[in-house]
Amino acid sequence: MKIKVAIVTSLNSLRRNPMRALLTTLGIVIGIASVITMMEIGQGSSEAIKKVISGMGANSIIIFPESSMSFGVRYGAGGVKTLTPDDCKAIIKECPSVRNAAPLVYARGQVVYGSKNWSPSSIMGSNPGFLDVRDWENMSEGECFTDRDVMNANRVCVIGRTVAKELFENECPVDKEIRILNVPFKVVGVLSPKGANMMGMDQDDIIIAPWTTVKYRVSGSGQNLINQAATTSAAASTVNSTSSIYPNTAVKFYPDQSTVQIANYMMYTRFANISQIFAAAKSSEEVDSAIREITQLLRQRHHLKDGAPNDFTIRNLNEILNTLTKTTKLVTNLLLCIAMVSLLVGGVGIMNIMLVCVSERTREIGIRMAVGARQRDILRQFLTEAVILCLAGGIIGIIIGHGGSMILAGILGWPMSASPEAITLAFAVSAGVGIAFGYYPAWKASKLDPIEALRYE
Amino acid sequence: MSNTLIDLKDIYKTYHMGDIDVPVLKGISMSIKQGEFVALMGSSGSGKSTLMNILGCLDRPSSGKYYLDGEEISSLSNDGRAEIRNLKLGFVFQSFNLLPRVSAFENIIMPLAYARCHVSTKEALAKGIQLLNQFGLTERSRHEPSRLSGGQQQRVAIARSLVCDPQILFADEPTGNLDSKTGIEVLDLFKRLNREKGITILMVTHDIEVAMHAQRIIHIKDGLIDGTYAGAEKK
Ligand SMILES: Nc1ncnc2c1ncn2[C@@H]1O[C@H](COP(=O)(O)OP(=O)(O)OP(=O)(O)O)[C@@H](O)[C@H]1O
Ligand SMILES: [Mg+2]
């Protein structure tokens, strides 16, 4: 018996009792509709999370100096600053999976413009590469400061949208002078708005200045004063690299020493350390290999012996992303389980009605067998009928589910994304339910004895 | 045309109703040659329908051998017997057994859906229309069996039994519901099928007049063959 004939026959017999068919398939409709809604909302949420995270800097990797131990004294995280701008440079140069990296230093305090003041949540020192790392190159107004500004520790800065609003309201901030912790800075640009990050922190409440300026002119410390002297003197001469201004080797105030002199006189080494390095991998797939390369490079640069613990920590947003995605997945899967239970109940409903159908139509089965239908023909016919019922339920369920998630998205503003996989899955599941629960009644029908079936009243 | 088509050897059929055994056929042996037109007679309850069901491969005998075309049938699988029913046999039931809520036309072409050899939809339609014409049912082709008269249902049942071009036709009281004129028409059709297409026909009837149209009459009484007589129709 051709499958086409089986389908036509099944449709004919279903058409005889449309109300019953509809009620039978209701369980499947509800089950599939909930599966579709769950999956679309779930997928929408995880996509929304991904978007927020990639907004924080796609494929970001953050390197912190690690709490380290020297002679049994443990310092807290960042207590000993082991990261240097040269580390950052080396990362850019030698790690193939890294797209860009930028050094970071932080300051905290009040910013004043005219009679207004504001305390931004972050005052950062970095270099122009930072904006590339964070995918934040678009400026609303003005320009970013340059590498030369970084080298010269110029007092220039770019400000975030929130800072601009608080200090300048409707004025144009570019070329205005603000005072950050009492140090005058010229605003050269306003960053494009980025909104809140996933922690709910306003990412536009930010000031970014050359890290050299922030480190040596703003966040004051004894060491910085020496540096500032070095800066001014170095800035006068031609320099082309920050590491020659802020070397992590001894500054040559004196002529080169002989080895004997080195042995006799200990030199104080200035350490141009930074609080963080912010790096970006070339793609999210390369984040792991970037982390591996950075670890290897930094261990080598910091002369760590094999087995010695890292004196730095590497974190990436992917971890957070993974945690969040896992959580949404978990919730979605939980809801999916509930939807599956409803599918199961729907399947049992189908089985029940199909069994009723088989006994109602025993005579018909007998007649068909009498004219030559084989067992497998009868099996196929009833199986087709169950699958058609389930698929019809599935299609209605897909429409209702999709409509439902669109309504939720429209009214409650929940994120949703149409998912072709969910629809394919729903199709497969409803066909599967049809086969699984239609098989027993169909098998029972096919095992009927023709003469007994003909005698059935 | 003298080779044996049907050969029954000592067929017994006993129904079991709880603890009670109901013997219906008590050792029937007979043979029917290819191209024969045989009438089966006997009083009500003598086991004619039971015998027909066994011959029509619908039921299995309790014991005994049934050779159809040289093939032992009672040992065949269910599917094997289904195939024989579809390809070689046509069956007209005493109670018609038409599919309810399905049009006369679809009832007639229904067996083609199970035909092992490929029958295209077009061929099936052509065959159905031809049979409708032949049985004067063209007007009633869309009627469901419940909206047909007994005689019309009878004709639909006969048309259905012929749709697969069977080798043998079993008809359980094919004229029982027909007026004598239509009855004679059916009998003439049977005779023509028998003569022109060489279809072997086995027909149950209570009416001696009807039986006389056959070449041979087999009489059954209490599950045993009582006697065989020659009919009016000559070979
Ligand atoms: N399934 C069954 N279970 C028990 N007894 C049965 C069964 N089928 C038939 N019988 C019995 O077998 C006997 C023969 O029945 P059958 O239908 O063969 O009679 P018949 O010769 O065709 O009669 P009629 O001329 O009235 O059609 C009857 O006595 C009937 O009661
Ligand atoms: Mg009978």
Side-chain angles (χ1 to χ4, degrees):
Chain A
M1 189 185 197
K2 283 170 288 177
I3 192 78
K4 207 176 91 193
V5 181
I7 290 172
V8 171
T9 316
S10 306
L11 283 178
N12 280 340
S13 65
L14 287 176
R15 217 180 39 200
R16 265 182 242 147
N17 219 332
M19 192 61 194
R20 185 211 266 184
L22 191 74
L23 288 177
T24 308
T25 194
L26 204 59
I28 303 291
V29 171
I30 293 169
I32 292 290
S34 17
V35 167
I36 291 283
T37 311
M38 302 299 159
M39 287 189 73
E40 291 192 337
I41 298 275
Q43 191 153 330
S45 317
S46 58
E47 260 163 37
I49 289 171
K50 264 189 207 135
K51 215 153 101 200
V52 169
I53 294 209
S54 66
M56 289 180 67
N59 321 320
S60 296
I61 298 165
I62 308 169
I63 306 145
F64 300 95
E66 176 60 284
S67 86
S68 63
M69 194 160 81
S70 58
F71 305 109
V73 180
R74 291 197 56 177
Y75 301 92
V80 174
K81 307 214 163 161
T82 50
L83 292 178
T84 66
D86 275 357
D87 285 338
C88 181
K89 281 225 168 95
I91 287 171
I92 297 172
K93 219 165 87 188
E94 288 175 43
C95 299
S97 307
V98 173
R99 193 185 75 222
N100 208 343
L104 271 188
V105 293
Y106 288 102
R108 221 162 212 303
Q110 203 182 39
V111 184
V112 180
Y113 171 71
S115 61
K116 299 202 190 66
N117 69 73
W118 178 248
S119 292
S121 57
S122 50
I123 302 172
M124 286 181 182
S126 189
N127 61 23
F130 177 71
L131 295 183
D132 172 45
V133 172
R134 297 263 340 243
D135 290 324
W136 208 354
E137 285 117 320
N138 295 342
M139 305 290 289
S140 293
E141 289 167 65
E143 301 264 281
C144 184
F145 52 83
T146 60
D147 283 319
R148 181 153 288 273
D149 290 323
V150 178
M151 258 182 266
N152 296 352
N154 286 342
R155 290 187 305 249
V156 288
C157 66
V158 293
I159 59 177
R161 171 62 57 201
T162 307
V163 177
K165 209 170 71 204
E166 294 297 338
L167 292 180
F168 296 94
E169 285 174 7
N170 300 325
E171 244 179 288
C172 170
V174 176
D175 284 338
K176 301 277 166 16
E177 196 177 79
I178 57 172
R179 298 177 76 80
I180 304 171
L181 288 118
N182 260 337
V183 181
F185 277 78
K186 193 174 85 179
V187 177
V188 291
V190 180
L191 294 161
S192 54
K194 217 169 169 64
N197 70 6
M198 62 187 161
M199 276 45 138
M201 271 161 58
D202 181 6
Q203 297 180 88
D204 297 322
D205 193 9
I206 192 173
I207 294 180
I208 306 173
W211 68 268
T212 47
T213 323
V214 173
K215 184 155 185 65
Y216 301 119
R217 297 191 190 221
V218 178
S219 46
S221 83
Q223 206 185 28
N224 293 345
L225 293 173
I226 312 166
N227 279 318
Q228 233 164 356
T231 314
T232 21
S233 63
S237 59
T238 44
V239 277
N240 39 23
S241 131
T242 40
S243 63
S244 52
I245 320 172
Y246 310 104
N248 57 357
T249 52
V251 175
K252 289 170 188 153
F253 289 117
Y254 306 101
D256 276 352
Q257 294 166 309
S258 70
T259 34
V260 180
Q261 275 178 311
I262 291 169
N264 286 345
Y265 301 95
M266 285 276 290
M267 274 303 293
Y268 171 64
T269 308
R270 263 194 308 123
F271 219 46
N273 49 32
I274 49 176
S275 350
Q276 272 178 25
I277 295 172
F278 213 96
K282 284 200 174 116
S283 68
S284 55
E285 289 79 47
E286 282 172 288
V287 167
D288 287 336
S289 60
I291 290 174
R292 229 175 303 117
E293 289 159 13
I294 292 170
T295 310
Q296 207 178 5
L297 179 75
L298 289 184
R299 284 188 69 87
Q300 191 190 330
R301 285 181 59 83
H302 295 179
H303 305 295
L304 298 176
K305 292 201 188 76
D306 286 347
N310 288 344
D311 61 354
F312 54 89
T313 312
I314 300 181
R315 291 201 184 290
N316 68 321
L317 291 173
N318 260 11
E319 280 173 36
I320 306 170
L321 181 73
N322 286 346
T323 320
L324 283 175
T325 325
K326 246 185 235 160
T327 317
T328 33
K329 268 234 179 77
L330 189 80
V331 175
T332 314
N333 284 349
L334 228 102
L335 292 173
L336 265 181
C337 282
I338 298 170
M340 285 296 169
V341 169
S342 124
L343 271 181
L344 198 77
V345 173
V348 172
I350 295 266
M351 174 131 91
N352 186 20
I353 293 298
M354 288 309 291
L355 280 172
V356 171
C357 240
V358 166
S359 68
E360 261 180 5
R361 284 156 63 187
T362 304
R363 233 182 124 76
E364 177 193 326
I365 296 165
I367 294 168
R368 288 182 184 278
M369 283 179 159
V371 300
R374 285 160 304 164
Q375 296 189 345
R376 80 190 79 143
D377 296 324
I378 301 295
L379 184 90
R380 190 181 299 170
Q381 186 192 329
F382 280 90
L383 211 50
T384 311
E385 208 169 309
V387 170
I388 286 178
L389 260 182
C390 285
L391 277 183
I395 290 168
I396 300 173
I398 287 168
I399 293 166
I400 292 180
H402 189 66
S405 57
M406 284 211 299
I407 289 171
L408 280 179
I411 294 178
L412 301 176
W414 287 6
M416 68 80 92
S417 76
S419 131
E421 301 96 72
I423 288 172
T424 324
L425 185 84
F427 254 115
V429 164
S430 44
V433 165
I435 291 170
F437 291 92
Y439 194 85
Y440 175 66
W443 176 83
K444 246 188 108 172
S446 76
K447 287 292 170 216
L448 285 173
D449 184 56
I451 202 76
E452 290 299 326
L454 279 173
R455 252 182 224 132
Y456 185 90
E457 250 351 298
Chain B
M1 290 259 250
S2 60
N3 45 333
T4 306
L5 187 60
I6 290 173
D7 201 7
L8 291 185
K9 292 229 155 72
D10 216 16
I11 295 285
Y12 280 83
K13 180 72 187 179
T14 306
Y15 289 109
H16 304 280
M17 300 189 46
D19 289 339
I20 312 159
D21 285 353
V22 186
V24 178
L25 301 181
K26 301 162 187 169
I28 289 197
S29 299
M30 66 175 199
S31 60
I32 294 171
K33 293 195 184 73
Q34 186 147 13
E36 252 190 312
F37 183 1
V38 179
L40 200 58
M41 290 194 73
S43 56
S44 185
S46 55
K48 303 183 297 292
S49 295
T50 309
L51 181 61
M52 289 290 266
N53 287 341
I54 290 170
L55 287 168
C57 296
L58 287 163
D59 212 352
R60 291 173 198 263
S62 305
S63 71
K65 301 260 182 236
Y66 169 23
Y67 296 93
L68 178 73
D69 221 357
E71 199 176 1
E72 218 287 289
I73 296 299
S74 34
S75 64
L76 277 181
S77 72
N78 289 341
D79 280 355
R81 295 193 304 156
E83 207 166 300
I84 287 183
R85 286 199 293 272
N86 188 248
L87 288 179
K88 291 191 178 170
L89 311 182
F91 210 108
V92 183
F93 294 92
Q94 195 170 2
S95 50
F96 315 137
N97 280 335
L98 298 173
L99 289 182
R101 289 182 296 263
V102 170
S103 73
F105 182 71
E106 281 175 82
N107 258 299
I108 291 172
I109 62 169
M110 191 256 290
L112 290 174
Y114 304 105
R116 295 287 279 124
C117 54
H118 183 78
V119 182
S120 74
T121 319
K122 230 170 105 186
E123 282 168 341
L125 291 178
K127 188 95 200 180
I129 289 167
Q130 183 222 318
L131 283 165
L132 279 174
N133 286 334
Q134 195 172 343
F135 286 87
L137 289 163
T138 318
E139 235 93 288
R140 301 278 176 271
S141 79
R142 299 173 142 282
H143 286 225
E144 294 175 358
S146 58
R147 305 220 184 122
L148 292 172
S149 73
Q152 284 164 340
Q153 289 184 47
Q154 184 88 301
R155 280 180 276 160
V156 171
I158 296 169
R160 184 182 66 188
S161 72
L162 293 173
V163 78
C164 280
D165 293 321
Q167 214 176 331
I168 313 166
L169 182 65
F170 296 104
D172 202 344
E173 298 192 31
T175 54
N177 289 289
L178 304 179
D179 60 80
S180 54
K181 184 173 157 279
T182 333
I184 298 229
E185 273 173 30
V186 167
L187 283 171
D188 283 343
L189 177 79
F190 278 11
K191 279 191 273 186
R192 211 168 63 234
L193 286 169
N194 178 248
R195 218 178 311 119
E196 288 169 10
K197 295 199 178 170
I199 298 178
T200 311
I201 297 176
L202 185 59
M203 171 180 75
V204 170
T205 181
H206 286 283
D207 189 340
I208 187 69
E209 301 248 324
V210 171
M212 284 309 283
H213 287 269
Q215 296 158 1
R216 189 152 63 107
I217 301 167
I218 295 173
H219 201 270
I220 292 187
K221 194 181 172 197
D222 287 334
L224 280 169
I225 293 183
D226 202 25
T228 307
Y229 317 96
E233 181 81 4
K234 287 287 162 267
K235 282 189 194 177

